[in-house]
Amino acid sequence: MTHFLDLDTTPADDLRSIITQARAMKDARAGQPKGAPDAVQPLAGRMIALIFEKPSTRTRISFDVGARQMGGQTMVLSGKDMQLGHGESIADTARVLSRYCDLIMLRTFEEATLLEMAEHATVPVINGLTDASHPCQIMADIVTYEEHRGSVADRKFVWAGDGNNVCASWLHAAGQFGFDMTFTGPETLDPNPRAVAFARGKGRRVEITRDPLKAAAGADAIVTDTWVSMHDPESARERRHNQLRPYQVNEAMMAAGKPDALFMHCLPAHRNEEATTAVMDGPQSVIFDESENRLHAQKAILRYCLGV
Ligand code: CP
Ligand code: NVA
């Protein structure tokens, strides 16, 4: 059985095949209405469970639309409305869902919850974001970068701000797709050291600097994310804002990168906090392409997991 749990645990060749498939499927749909079925229907007869223990716009809708375009059926479920949110174990939930569904996509808090679901499910499980990582997002981001600028290999990606779950998946991707990363943010919000070690272990350069303009020098892309993630306590908001303000992606930071550097953000964004509106809506921004490519990347991930 083929789960899609993280970029560091999925073979690099498989990740590259998924990107190739995603781009081919996107090209094949060019000009079609969003609801039109794909010419091939690899998910015909398949039932997909999409479970959310946290809010979502892009992940929820892109998985739902993507599965339907491929002929599948979906159930979008809120964790709190299931017995899962009222004391039933993850293991038992996994066993029960596996009797009804062909695949489970889960957005949850603890990474351990996702891993327990995968351990006990007898159908593939996809990580739709945990406190620790967001692999589907970065697959879409690789598609996005490459359709604008060509191969990510040996490029310099700069992450500005909080070394969070999305940042960890970028570091995994650096190792698997072969690019370098510079992190710039406050020391207390440094990225997960295991993710840094993974990229370095694959021979990639990972730099950590407190100077945002120095970090941005020579960047092929500058990437950021919200200063307060869904798993962060509300009480930390003010402190985080004060710590992260110097790392806002603004026109000065973009000007320090290469002239053709892209600006990337997984969204949702808080405009004029982690990035200015001028940057988000500027000529270097590809943020809405990233959102669209969630659809195409995840369709390829669904096919990979189901072997269809
Ligand atoms: N980027 C992302 O995962 O967005 P949602 O939280 O809206 O799914
Ligand atoms: N880091 C953010 C990403 C949202 C898609 C969060 O976890 O809330």
Side-chain angles (χ1 to χ4, degrees):
M1 193 169 24
T2 309
H3 300 302
F4 188 80
L5 300 178
D6 256 321
L7 299 185
D8 58 335
T9 53
T10 303
D13 289 349
D14 292 4
L15 296 175
R16 179 46 74 188
S17 303
I18 292 168
I19 299 293
T20 303
Q21 168 90 288
R23 291 192 68 179
M25 291 175 74
K26 179 175 182 176
D27 289 348
R29 279 194 68 81
Q32 293 285 324
K34 309 295 183 291
D38 284 347
V40 286
Q41 295 279 281
L43 263 61
R46 308 289 179 135
M47 178 58 76
I48 310 297
L50 305 171
I51 307 174
F52 291 88
E53 295 197 294
K54 290 174 175 169
S56 168
T57 295
R58 281 143 287 267
T59 306
R60 174 192 308 252
I61 298 169
S62 57
F63 264 110
D64 197 350
V65 170
R68 293 188 204 201
Q69 287 179 350
M70 296 191 292
Q73 297 187 69
T74 56
M75 290 182 298
V76 182
L77 305 161
S78 153
K80 69 177 184 310
D81 294 334
M82 298 170 66
Q83 300 292 7
L84 179 64
H86 301 274
E88 187 167 19
S89 75
I90 307 293
D92 286 348
T93 303
R95 294 179 183 114
V96 170
L97 286 175
S98 299
R99 301 291 179 106
Y100 303 131
C101 303
D102 297 290
L103 183 144
I104 301 164
M105 194 285 324
L106 176 63
R107 168 170 285 193
T108 189
F109 289 86
E110 298 289 330
E111 184 174 42
T113 305
L114 175 82
L115 299 178
E116 199 177 343
M117 184 73 86
E119 184 184 341
H120 297 282
T122 55
V123 297
V125 173
I126 294 177
N127 177 358
L129 178 145
T130 69
D131 298 359
S133 65
H134 196 4
C136 291
Q137 177 68 51
I138 281 49
M139 293 299 278
D141 293 347
I142 300 295
V143 170
T144 306
Y145 185 87
E146 294 198 333
E147 66 186 6
H148 284 275
R149 293 285 184 268
S151 173
V152 291
D154 297 326
R155 305 278 187 171
K156 174 179 172 177
F157 283 76
V158 174
W159 180 276
D162 179 16
N164 64 13
N165 46 1
V166 178
C167 181
S169 287
W170 270 107
L171 285 161
H172 294 155
Q176 299 290 52
F177 289 98
F179 55 86
D180 298 332
M181 293 253 350
T182 296
F183 170 85
T184 187
E187 190 172 355
T188 49
L189 300 175
D190 270 352
N192 182 332
R194 290 193 313 280
V196 172
F198 176 81
R200 287 184 177 153
K202 296 280 183 184
R204 302 320 309 184
R205 179 194 294 268
V206 179
E207 290 182 0
I208 296 182
T209 165
R210 311 297 162 208
D211 180 340
L213 293 181
K214 201 173 129 208
D220 291 293
I222 299 178
V223 193
T224 190
D225 188 12
T226 180
W227 288 343
V228 184
S229 283
M230 292 182 275
H231 57 270
D232 289 320
E234 193 50 39
S235 56
R237 178 172 294 272
E238 190 180 334
R239 181 169 45 84
R240 284 175 157 266
H241 276 233
N242 290 333
Q243 284 181 301
L244 286 161
R245 206 162 283 121
Y247 300 97
Q248 180 191 64
V249 183
N250 50 31
E251 284 159 298
M253 200 191 291
M254 290 306 297
K258 285 187 182 162
D260 68 344
L262 297 181
F263 170 69
M264 305 185 76
H265 189 313
C266 64
L267 305 181
H270 299 79
R271 284 175 177 262
N272 299 314
E273 291 181 8
E274 70 269 17
T276 59
T277 280
V279 168
M280 289 181 62
D281 296 338
Q284 290 161 280
S285 174
V286 291
I287 56 179
F288 298 111
D289 292 339
E290 293 176 75
S291 294
E292 175 180 345
N293 287 329
R294 294 295 301 278
L295 173 70
H296 308 295
Q298 287 158 194
K299 287 170 73 178
I301 293 168
L302 287 165
R303 292 185 73 169
Y304 168 72
C305 288
L306 290 167
V308 293

